[in-house]
Amino acid sequence: MKTNRILGNYTQEKDGPLFIGLAGIHGNEHAGIHAFNRVYESLKTNDFDFRGKFIGIVGNLQAVEQKARFIDTDLNRLWEDETIEKLENSHKYQLQIHEEREQKALLTLFKRLRSRNPNRPLILLDMHTTSAKGGIPFSIANDNDFSKELALYLGAPAIIGVENIISGTTLNYFTKLKMSAFGFEAGQHDNPESIDRMEAALWLTLDKIGCIDKRDIPFHAKHKNLLKTLRNNIPPMVEFVYRHSIGPDDHFEMKLGYKNFQMVTKGEVLAKDKNGPVKCPEDGMILMPLYQKQGEDGFFVVQAVDVYSNERVLAL
């Protein structure tokens, strides 16, 4: 079935923010598409009092249809100033890399949305899933105070510091635009529960930014408790401290059994590659261990930070 770039556009033409749900930046991550459709259909059916606009956008259309992370390269690593300048000065037919053509279409769309909604606060949720089992959901805030507030409001662990270890992400790009954007990783790709968690994240964000009153949200308490309960004993906020970058010739192979937020220790063998064992660089918690063929991130390590000071907490 063909996927459209715009999943839906809901508004009652009242003052309020523009909330963009961005799904399918990675084409094998479909939970965001299904979750947006659930919320969108509920809004249309129930006709709740709604302020602002709610739009669903698909990032990598061809990859979504092929259920592949990407076609030529990772679309969530291309949002650098140099690449964006190149795209803005090129016709789409001049671009040889598939993801650059997708990115150009997205840039054109984002620019149009901003120009047509000059007085609306603009918030974006970048929706993802992971290849690892044991899918504890988490949010990722960009370097923006309201982004951190939004990420924490969901109740799942919130992660900061992405701009310090990964370049070219959508969150990096929207930080430069002074826009409140955050990501949400709902769990494993093919787990139906990932759709439920993503739906909860969308409803809770609509509540937090004032688009809809929480009393009108179906099962609001259930959504709030779902994400908070899954956090269990994991700290409410953690920070990226390490990214293990890999290339196609590294023959990287993650050891089986690692789950998000599992404790790891310095020197622990986490994987192997062409050079031998890959050891953990420091104590912390592992995040997004790679259990799929495509990807440039072998794993991440995070450490707990204080919610108020953003300073790292020594005792995990």
Side-chain angles (χ1 to χ4, degrees), residues 125-285:
L125 175 57
D126 190 4
M127 299 181 281
H128 289 272
T129 49
T130 70
S131 62
K133 294 182 179 180
I136 296 173
F138 58 91
S139 53
I140 303 176
N142 72 357
D143 193 18
N144 173 294
D145 288 341
F146 190 52
S147 171
K148 294 173 185 176
E149 189 175 334
L150 289 167
L152 284 166
Y153 186 73
L154 299 186
I159 307 176
I160 63 172
V162 62
E163 67 279 356
N164 297 325
I165 63 165
I166 312 176
S167 61
T169 69
T170 56
L171 295 185
N172 295 145
Y173 172 69
F174 291 118
T175 296
K176 294 174 183 177
L177 297 182
K178 308 298 183 185
M179 197 174 98
S180 297
F182 67 114
F184 186 72
E185 299 270 359
Q188 192 178 29
H189 299 322
D190 299 323
N191 186 345
E193 293 178 358
S194 296
I195 302 173
D196 299 334
R197 298 164 185 171
M198 196 71 79
E199 180 185 2
L202 287 169
W203 281 120
L204 292 173
T205 304
L206 287 168
D207 160 29
K208 176 65 176 176
I209 65 179
C211 287
I212 187 170
D213 292 333
K214 67 176 62 178
R215 65 175 179 269
D216 289 333
I217 294 176
F219 310 109
H220 179 275
K222 178 182 176 182
H223 294 316
K224 187 73 174 177
N225 291 333
L226 171 64
L227 300 184
K228 186 175 182 180
T229 301
L230 287 169
R231 196 186 86 207
N232 200 4
N233 295 321
I234 298 168
M237 181 178 283
V238 300
E239 182 177 14
F240 284 109
V241 296
Y242 177 75
R243 169 190 179 233
H244 188 77
S245 175
I246 61 174
D249 298 325
D250 288 341
H251 305 295
F252 178 86
E253 185 178 340
M254 195 78 208
K255 285 183 66 177
L256 295 176
Y258 281 105
K259 301 177 181 180
N260 282 333
F261 298 103
Q262 181 174 332
M263 299 294 296
V264 290
T265 57
K266 184 176 181 179
E268 181 177 346
V269 176
L270 304 178
K272 64 179 180 180
D273 61 17
K274 64 182 180 181
N275 297 314
V278 176
K279 298 181 179 180
C280 185
E282 54 187 305
D283 295 342
M285 293 170 278

Side-chain angles (χ1 to χ4, degrees), residues 54-197:
F54 179 42
I55 298 176
I57 297 174
V58 177
N60 198 335
L61 286 171
Q62 186 176 331
V64 164
E65 291 174 4
Q66 295 185 17
K67 296 184 178 180
R69 182 176 174 87
F70 54 77
I71 304 301
D72 294 321
T73 190
D74 192 333
L75 180 55
N76 205 28
R77 298 294 183 271
L78 296 181
W79 301 82
E80 300 275 14
D81 292 343
E82 183 178 345
T83 303
I84 291 170
E85 183 179 356
K86 168 190 169 183
L87 297 183
E88 289 178 338
N89 294 315
S90 302
H91 193 280
K92 66 178 182 180
Y93 297 114
Q94 297 175 302
L95 302 172
Q96 301 301 311
I97 297 174
H98 170 77
E99 275 71 23
E100 288 187 347
R101 295 193 293 272
E102 296 275 11
Q103 187 180 14
K104 184 172 180 64
L106 290 171
L107 286 167
T108 301
L109 178 55
F110 292 145
K111 186 178 293 186
R112 184 165 70 244
L113 288 172
R114 286 175 64 87
S115 65
R116 291 180 179 177
N117 299 275
N119 299 318
R120 295 184 187 272
L122 205 157
I123 294 98
L124 182 139
L125 175 57
D126 190 4
M127 299 181 281
H128 289 272
T129 49
T130 70
S131 62
K133 294 182 179 180
I136 296 173
F138 58 91
S139 53
I140 303 176
N142 72 357
D143 193 18
N144 173 294
D145 288 341
F146 190 52
S147 171
K148 294 173 185 176
E149 189 175 334
L150 289 167
L152 284 166
Y153 186 73
L154 299 186
I159 307 176
I160 63 172
V162 62
E163 67 279 356
N164 297 325
I165 63 165
I166 312 176
S167 61
T169 69
T170 56
L171 295 185
N172 295 145
Y173 172 69
F174 291 118
T175 296
K176 294 174 183 177
L177 297 182
K178 308 298 183 185
M179 197 174 98
S180 297
F182 67 114
F184 186 72
E185 299 270 359
Q188 192 178 29
H189 299 322
D190 299 323
N191 186 345
E193 293 178 358
S194 296
I195 302 173
D196 299 334
R197 298 164 185 171

